[in-house]
Amino acid sequence: MTTAIEKQFWFVVGSQHLYGEEALAEVKANAQKMTDALNQSGLLPYPLVLQDLAVSADKITSIMKEVNYRDEVAGIITWMHTFSPAKMWIRGTKMLQKPLLHLATQYNESIPWATIDMDFMNLNQAAHGDREYGFINARLNKQNKVVVGYWERPEVQQQIADWMDVAVAYNESFGIKVARFGDNMRNVGVTEGDKVEAQIQFGWTVDYYGIGDLVEYVNAVTEPEIDQLMAEYAELYEFDYGSNSQESWEASVRVQAGYEIAIKRFLDEKGYSAFTSNFEDLHGMKQLPGLAVQRLMAQGYGFAGEGDWKTAALDRLMKIMSHNQNTGFMEDYTYEMAAGQEAILQSHMLEVDPSLASSKPKVVVSPLGIGDREDPARLVFDGKAGDGVVVSMMDHGTHYKLLINEVTAFEPTEPAPHLPVARVLWTVKPNFQDGIKAWIENGGGHHTVVSLNLTTDQIVSYAKLVNLEYVVIK
Ligand code: MN
């Protein structure tokens, strides 16, 4: 499951015919130089392609129609080189169905006081054009992004890059398909939700499968296929037999290797990019998938436990947005409450995403402590340090709501020799008491997706695009 997606963005430069053909030729030449420089910056994750100048309502409308129907175009970036009367933009902007970034910049960085005349003023009037154009976007409630600053500056280019990742995730959101192996965990509230509304609002397809459908795939996996995967594990991970005999340890890990192959085959054949499991629903399975799930998360599949399809889809979405870097499913577990050291220990019963690992993971076989299956293998590691966001989506009955908390993850200093699961530690913003209180008061879930690569601004940009209520705790 790849998170490398082939997309491009169109660069649409606003002007009008009032200034004559010579001025328009200069606008076009400057726009081409800007496009080339942005593409060569090395910061943009997707290419920018310059389009014909937006000089009439018909031209603008025709560009927007093309943007809508071309799958390879993830969104548009607009720039007002000159004044561009914005009634021309109404029809096209209204029909635009993809993300829009208004780049408030100017070709020249400084005002050339020694030579400035009215020709220069007419040609370089972004400050004037930005306001006319911005008014129409605001009036149309486009929820577009506005980036302000000189186009050659890396911090401006980085804002464009971050938005491109959001725009691609938004486009891909409509193709996210979640396979649910079993239903939600019994009696749990926050993992429930309206699947029809999720498909209408976010584009997520959420399908149920009985665990027997997966067991068929598990039974079809061959021993040589498992041998091959075991060799890959030996390359990537430390093998920790613990108190197990090597023979029983290997037998247990081989079960998980079979699950990895089976689940991947199932998802790929049927076009799913995310999935859920439930430890209460494992008829015909010897173990709860643990190592298998961790391996698939590292490959870019979205996942959440206990049938939590909302978090699984959100995980896939944020993996696309972050290029699958330092982003994964998480669960709040245990507080550290000692004064001055307050933190939250994050983990799950098995399924912690190795994209967050700071150390070489160990393959450990240990009892689960929940349910009635054999001891499952899992990857055990410590999480990376870094600033990031933790995100949870809840169905509040009348609407979905997104909760975003800024966190600072840090590497644990104390060993935990008896803890047979991966662990991530973080502090929450603005502080332990207020951050946790706000999370609980807003009804934030215990299942989350954390990313040490994404920003609050990116998550908020996505929420706006899908008209999703959000609360930021920072
Ligand atoms: Mn859980």
Side-chain angles (χ1 to χ4, degrees):
M1 175 51 46
T2 178
T3 50
I5 289 158
E6 298 262 325
K7 291 282 182 193
Q8 58 178 234
F9 287 80
W10 281 9
F11 191 33
V12 180
V13 178
S15 192
Q16 59 175 327
H17 284 296
L18 192 65
Y19 313 114
E21 289 311 306
E22 203 178 314
L24 288 181
E26 205 170 338
V27 168
K28 182 90 190 215
N30 290 344
Q32 187 63 57
K33 280 182 214 155
M34 194 186 291
T35 306
D36 293 344
L38 287 168
N39 283 326
Q40 285 157 17
S41 69
L43 289 175
L44 302 195
Y46 301 94
L48 190 61
V49 183
L50 179 62
Q51 302 302 305
D52 288 345
L53 296 181
V55 289
S56 69
D58 286 348
K59 173 47 79 180
I60 292 164
T61 303
S62 115
I63 291 171
M64 300 305 186
K65 282 181 183 169
E66 289 262 317
V67 169
N68 282 347
Y69 96 83
R70 284 181 182 266
D71 286 341
E72 73 274 22
V73 183
I76 73 165
I77 297 177
T78 53
W79 167 43
M80 299 303 121
H81 192 310
T82 69
F83 192 77
S84 183
K87 282 184 186 173
M88 297 193 312
W89 288 82
I90 291 174
R91 183 158 175 248
T93 304
K94 259 181 86 179
M95 65 174 60
L96 177 67
Q97 293 169 319
K98 291 187 180 171
L100 166 63
L101 182 148
H102 172 190
L103 178 58
T105 192
Q106 184 166 271
Y107 183 70
N108 54 301
E109 188 173 20
S110 291
I111 297 171
W113 292 113
T115 56
I116 189 167
D117 56 12
M118 275 322 286
D119 284 347
F120 182 93
M121 292 276 273
N122 284 331
L123 191 63
N124 299 281
Q125 49 176 321
H128 188 191
D130 281 338
R131 283 154 180 77
E132 168 72 0
Y133 175 65
F135 162 70
I136 285 299
N137 287 336
R139 178 149 174 185
L140 292 174
N141 195 23
K142 277 313 275 186
Q143 300 298 330
N144 59 297
K145 183 84 181 164
V146 179
V147 170
V148 183
Y150 191 56
W151 54 279
E152 281 189 332
R153 293 221 180 89
E155 62 270 26
V156 171
Q157 296 170 350
Q158 189 59 52
Q159 287 182 62
I160 298 170
D162 288 349
W163 171 83
M164 281 182 164
D165 284 332
V166 174
V168 166
Y170 168 82
N171 279 267
E172 294 296 303
S173 186
F174 298 94
I176 290 176
K177 286 179 69 183
V178 185
R180 308 167 64 219
F181 297 117
D183 201 347
N184 295 53
M185 181 178 166
R186 287 185 280 276
N187 287 315
V188 175
V190 77
T191 60
E192 295 286 353
D194 180 342
K195 295 191 279 291
V196 175
E197 191 56 32
Q199 188 155 6
I200 292 170
Q201 196 173 355
F202 316 121
W204 301 343
T205 302
V206 183
D207 292 335
Y208 166 85
Y209 288 92
I211 195 71
D213 295 324
L214 178 60
V215 169
E216 275 183 32
Y217 279 72
V218 170
N219 293 339
V221 174
T222 67
E223 293 300 311
E225 286 178 316
I226 292 175
D227 291 340
Q228 203 182 343
L229 206 48
M230 290 293 287
E232 193 179 324
Y233 294 173
E235 293 263 308
L236 291 171
Y237 313 120
E238 227 177 89
F239 287 181
D240 183 348
Y241 303 128
S243 58
N244 303 279
S245 70
Q246 186 175 339
E247 193 186 4
S248 72
W249 182 94
E250 273 172 8
S252 179
V253 177
R254 290 180 71 85
V255 169
Q256 292 287 333
Y259 290 171
E260 177 183 337
I261 295 162
I263 297 170
K264 182 173 169 55
R265 193 164 285 154
F266 187 103
L267 299 175
D268 291 352
E269 280 182 16
K270 299 176 195 304
Y272 291 101
S273 49
F275 66 106
T276 66
S277 63
N278 182 351
F279 68 93
E280 292 172 335
D281 202 342
L282 292 173
H283 291 281
M285 304 276 281
K286 289 179 181 168
Q287 303 177 9
L288 174 66
L291 170 63
V293 168
Q294 291 176 293
R295 293 264 311 159
L296 292 165
M297 292 192 287
Q299 291 164 46
Y301 296 90
F303 173 82
E306 292 94 59
D308 186 353
W309 53 268
K310 292 197 302 292
T311 306
L314 187 65
D315 188 30
R316 172 64 186 161
L317 182 85
M318 288 172 62
K319 280 175 175 292
I320 294 166
M321 210 182 284
S322 65
H323 304 263
N324 201 23
Q325 299 293 304
N326 305 319
T327 300
F329 167 57
M330 198 53 76
E331 183 167 84
D332 294 286
Y333 240 103
T334 300
Y335 294 130
E336 168 60 58
M337 287 189 148
Q341 295 169 50
E342 291 92 342
I344 313 176
L345 172 58
Q346 307 285 325
S347 193
H348 203 257
M349 61 173 101
L350 297 174
E351 314 92 331
V352 184
D353 194 316
S355 88
L356 294 159
S358 68
S359 54
K360 187 175 186 179
K362 289 188 292 191
V363 182
V364 171
V365 174
S366 179
L368 189 57
I370 300 177
D372 55 358
R373 292 297 189 274
E374 291 178 5
D375 299 352
R378 77 292 303 270
L379 295 171
V380 177
F381 54 85
D382 286 342
K384 284 176 192 163
D387 289 327
V389 286
V390 60
V391 184
S392 174
M393 184 186 280
M394 302 79 65
D395 182 344
H396 282 253
T398 51
H399 61 286
Y400 279 107
K401 183 165 154 183
L402 200 68
L403 203 47
I404 305 156
N405 194 182
E406 294 186 350
V407 299
T408 301
F410 59 98
E411 289 189 33
T413 48
E414 297 279 339
H418 301 292
L419 187 68
V421 287
R423 56 178 178 160
V424 176
L425 266 169
W426 67 53
T427 57
V428 300
K429 302 272 177 67
N431 58 62
F432 185 80
Q433 274 187 340
D434 295 333
I436 291 170
K437 186 177 178 191
W439 188 272
I440 293 170
E441 283 182 346
N442 277 289
H446 50 84
H447 281 172
T448 60
V449 181
V450 67
S451 177
L452 304 180
N453 274 51
L454 298 173
T455 63
T456 296
D457 188 63
Q458 286 178 294
I459 307 297
V460 167
S461 292
Y462 172 78
K464 285 181 176 173
L465 285 168
V466 293
N467 192 29
L468 170 59
E469 182 180 319
Y470 64 89
V471 174
V472 176
I473 306 167
K474 66 178 183 181

